[in-house]
Amino acid sequence: MIDRRTFGKVIGAGAAGTAAASLIGPNSSAAAASSSSGPGAEGAATPLTPGTGSGSVPALKQVRAGELNVGYAEAGPADGPAVILLHGWPYDIHSYVEVAPLLAAKGYRVIVPYLRGHGTTTFLSSTSFRNAQQSVIAYDIIALMDALKIRKAVFGGFDWGSRTADIIAALWPKRCRALVSVTGYLITNREKNKQPLPPAAEWAWWYQYYFATERGALGFEQYRHDFTKLIWHNVSPSWNFDDATFDRTAAAFDNEDYVPIVIHNYRWRLGLAEGDPRYNAIEARLAAAPDIAVPTITLDGELDPFTPAGDGAAYRAKFTGPYDHRTLRGIGHNVPQEAPEAFAQAVLDVARF
């Protein structure tokens, strides 16, 4: 899930081709949203009908990249401009099952990788540190781009995927053509994370405190299916996904490194677990909250409990290039799966900035 400091701003801001055909789902939602702070006129807010997230991915591909063997889905022409779509937690590549074919049909080469610890992405060495600090996940994606000979891409992401895309846009802008980031600016500052939030905000992050305990790690291991399904319901209250949709994604959680990666990620954010010292310098740069200058569209799900108040105002200053913000009415946390057409349209629009 997203960074706990972002949710705190809610309180502080005033709230107490063939490949394409194989991916497409039959019930994409209508793309409608309010738009602000960017080019074009602001439209009236129109509720969105959450997407079904149905459809299927083609046969997965695997490639050695950095310290991983990365599993990924690919759609669209091999010589098309690249779009890399990054999932969050507790989700997987099926968050983009309806987004990818929409982009592929417009001529984009769409790459949707499993993040470390998910699905068919595995470590090359059994002795590698199962590290999930924010910078190492960004390095994974840079390594994937190198392995696939992708020089530059449009990035889209939510949750862990937004954070990873934000980092690449901030630190490696030559690799990022443009950015679509759900919930805006999610780069983590661990020192700020040490400061308590108002009780209502802390309550929303209950699972982070659970993960901080050994009881929580054991419970997550034992009940990962029920645990993640509960999170889906809590953070996407209007999304009436069926069991088959959830179970399809939950298969990605059977990776033997899934629990260690998730637990380390959340403990690291709270300063309860150390990262790899090799990344200390890059984490220092990230702690300084670098601006993002590449063309960006930020998206907020209106019903996502982690959406900051103020229609993107909480993070607007961090985006210094061409920019637009859109709030998706009636949509929760898993934006690309709940509102695939709106997400795909944002990618198409930002690529033209």
Side-chain angles (χ1 to χ4, degrees), residues 323-344:
Y323 179 80
D324 191 19
H325 173 78
R326 300 168 185 180
T327 295
L328 306 183
R329 306 302 180 191
I331 298 301
H333 188 67
N334 186 2
V335 168
Q337 201 163 0
E338 295 181 60
E341 290 185 0
F343 192 96

Side-chain angles (χ1 to χ4, degrees), residues 83-96:
V83 173
I84 297 176
L85 303 175
L86 303 175
H87 68 80
W89 179 85
Y91 306 97
D92 82 328
I93 62 175
H94 289 92
S95 289
Y96 296 102

